[in-house]
Amino acid sequence: MDVMKIDRSVLTGADTSKRMKKILGNVIKLGHSLGMSVICEGIETREEEKLLLELGCHYGQGYFNAKPMPVEDFITFFEKRNADVDSGNYKI
């Protein structure tokens, strides 16, 4: 295994519980300590994205970023998002 995927339910629990936030942070650390890429699913708000970044999770998926789309549309979306990040136009 080289990728750890965290379920949305863990993320939403961290919004309301200090204990769940601590569990989420330690799960992310565990994945990194094992040399794994860590991704969280179901990011729907800027606050959830900020929390994950604060805890060291730099990969995520969810409606906050975009809804499911065809590959061709994703390539265009990805290139634009990267250009925005590189130019400083994308703010978290």
Side-chain angles (χ1 to χ4, degrees):
M1 294 190 306
D2 57 356
V3 177
M4 176 187 288
K5 189 170 185 181
I6 300 171
D7 188 77
R8 172 163 174 70
S9 62
V10 179
L11 175 60
T12 57
D15 281 344
T16 58
S17 165
K18 289 182 182 180
R19 182 176 185 208
M20 282 301 293
K21 182 178 177 180
K22 193 168 193 171
I23 290 170
L24 175 59
N26 283 308
V27 167
I28 293 167
K29 286 178 188 174
L30 174 64
H32 289 163
S33 74
L34 295 171
M36 302 171 87
S37 296
V38 180
I39 183 169
C40 188
E41 68 175 18
I43 304 167
E44 294 184 0
T45 67
R46 182 170 303 281
E47 290 75 25
E48 290 172 343
E49 181 182 59
K50 284 182 179 182
L51 173 63
L52 288 166
L53 289 170
E54 174 188 312
L55 295 175
C57 183
H58 300 284
Y59 299 101
Q61 66 184 64
Y63 287 159
F64 177 69
N65 291 305
K67 294 186 179 184
M69 64 184 78
V71 171
E72 298 80 18
D73 294 346
F74 173 75
I75 292 169
T76 302
F77 167 82
F78 185 77
E79 289 171 347
K80 181 183 180 325
R81 176 96 178 239
N82 280 344
D84 288 344
V85 168
D86 290 342
S87 69
N89 291 330
Y90 180 76
K91 302 290 184 213
I92 295 175

